[in-house]
Amino acid sequence: MSTEGYDQLAIFSVVARERSFTRAAAKLGMSQPALSRTMRQLEERLGVRLLARTTRSVSPTEAGDHLLRVIAPRFEEINTELALLSEFRDKPAGRLRITAGEHAAITVLQPVLAKLLPQHPDLHIEIIVDYGLTDIVAEGYDAGVRLGEQVAKDMIAVRIGPDVRMAVVGSPDYFARHPRPKTPRDLVRHNCIAIRLPTYGGLFPWEFEKKGEELKVRVEGQLVFNNIAMRLDAALKGLGLAYMPQDTVKPHIKEGRLIRVLSDWCPSFPGYHLYYPSRRQSSAAFTLFRDALRYSG
């Protein structure tokens, strides 16, 4: 294959992942007309349509999806090997792309980065907050962060945080108008601030456990959010009950702005893990990042 052919495949992988000529062009430093022309040339050379185009979006066809699955791991391996060149430098350097949920990014990653980055000015880290169970190989990430139970079995996983316990909370104003729930089943009579996550394909069921009994309650209410900040703000304003990570609401409980209920029913989940492909060869930058995050308990 010619050098041009490799370039076209590399450009296609970016377009297919970004699903946007605008974002892909910005990422590649190309003009959109040049990018579109390159994709047409690749399709003509292969004799198959790879991208379905509309006025607003672009997405891979079935053939395009197949090609992306084939070439994405290869390009990831090439990028990994190029990153290993940093081993020849005196200091760890390079760029790392990490996907993580909002809570993990704020409570685990940010404190470590605040200490790590000032000591290593040549290290650049991009954190993408995403609640979906991202295919980190296909999407070009160096690693992901998820709760232990969500990590795929074919990945290497390194624990980076303690167990995460949940809490159900409401404001004093809310409980002045509504009785406190005694069991999770009582939540169906409350105005609950629901959570929508792509992982579950709908509203996230609130999970409870007590003395071996497990319950999943599909709550309802006037509000649905997909982030922590807005759920917390709504709970503080008395708009409903929220199901939140305990460490997020603990200061508000201590100061009386929130009241915790059902504490004996709220479970803990295996802590956050950094995960990455088993075949990945660690660069100096990635090794430094991983070791800085490692949880000692």
Side-chain angles (χ1 to χ4, degrees), residues 63-77:
D65 270 330
H66 173 75
L67 179 60
L68 183 63
R69 287 195 300 270
V70 171
I71 67 174
R74 275 66 175 183
F75 281 116
E76 195 269 341
E77 290 174 2

Side-chain angles (χ1 to χ4, degrees), residues 14 41 65 86 101 103 152 186:
V14 175
Q41 292 172 348
D65 270 330
S86 64
H103 182 248
D186 294 337

Side-chain angles (χ1 to χ4, degrees), residues 247-297:
D247 59 353
T248 301
V249 296
K250 189 174 181 179
H252 301 285
I253 295 172
K254 184 177 181 179
E255 295 175 11
R257 292 192 294 267
L258 290 174
I259 296 171
R260 183 173 187 176
V261 294
L262 302 175
S263 60
D264 55 337
W265 278 95
C266 289
S268 294
F269 298 99
Y272 290 115
H273 287 64
L274 183 78
Y275 67 97
Y276 51 96
S278 58
R279 66 174 180 274
R280 192 189 198 287
Q281 297 185 42
S282 297
S283 65
F286 184 81
T287 299
L288 176 71
F289 177 70
R290 180 194 62 202
D291 291 348
L293 284 170
R294 193 182 297 273
Y295 178 67
S296 62

Side-chain angles (χ1 to χ4, degrees), residues 177-222:
R177 294 177 281 114
H178 303 277
R180 300 188 188 190
K182 293 182 172 60
T183 74
R185 295 181 179 86
D186 294 337
L187 292 172
V188 298
R189 295 188 292 272
H190 280 266
N191 195 357
C192 295
I193 302 165
I195 311 164
R196 187 180 298 280
L197 301 179
T199 305
Y200 294 85
L203 297 183
F204 173 76
W206 294 9
E207 300 181 12
F208 300 95
E209 188 273 332
K210 182 178 180 180
K211 296 180 180 179
E213 180 183 2
E214 296 183 1
L215 291 176
K216 289 187 178 182
V217 181
R218 297 192 177 275
V219 301
E220 295 184 357
Q222 292 177 282

